[in-house]
Amino acid sequence: MENQNIAFTLGVGVLAALALFVLFFKVLKRPGKLASLLTFLVVLAVYVPLAVLYWASLDVFAIHFAFFTMAAVLPGIIVGNRRGSDVDGGRLHWDLGLSSAFL
C-alpha cells in the first residue's frame, strides 16, 4: 500500500463514502445530516488507522482527509437543505439560506 496512486486511493475512498451515505440515507432512512455525520465518522475511523500504518506524508494525509470529509459532508448539506413542498415543490434552493443574512 506504500506505492499506491493517490488518484486511485482518493477515487475509491470518495466512492466508498458516497456509497456509505446512500446506505445510511436511502436504505436505513436516516436524516441527511445524520447520515452525513455517520458517514464522516465511519470513513475517518477506517482511514486514520490505515494512514498511520501506511504513512506517506502529512500532505498526502491532509489531501485524503479533505476529500473524504467533503465526500461525507456535501451530500448531507444538499439533501438536508431541501425546502418543504409548500415552499417550492421540495426542490433544492441553491443559496443555502445565505442570501437572507446579507439583506
Side-chain angles (χ1 to χ4, degrees):
M1 192 156 159
E2 296 168 5
N3 295 326
Q4 292 294 326
N5 184 357
I6 191 170
F8 176 74
T9 57
L10 283 174
V12 169
V14 167
L15 289 177
L18 293 175
L20 193 59
F21 177 82
V22 169
L23 173 78
F24 285 133
F25 184 67
K26 290 288 187 181
V27 177
L28 298 177
K29 303 291 185 194
R30 300 288 177 236
K33 291 180 182 177
L34 178 62
S36 179
L37 175 66
L38 292 173
T39 301
F40 174 73
L41 293 175
V42 169
V43 167
L44 287 186
V46 170
Y47 174 66
V48 170
L50 285 174
V52 170
L53 288 175
Y54 302 102
W55 187 259
S57 63
L58 186 58
D59 59 341
V60 173
F61 176 81
I63 291 168
H64 282 84
F65 182 84
F67 271 76
F68 295 160
T69 301
M70 287 187 298
V73 172
L74 287 179
I77 291 172
I78 292 171
V79 301
N81 197 32
R82 289 186 181 164
R83 304 282 193 237
S85 60
D86 57 337
V87 176
D88 61 356
R91 297 184 62 208
L92 179 66
H93 193 338
W94 286 100
D95 77 348
L96 303 176
L98 298 175
S99 63
S100 62
F102 298 109
L103 295 178

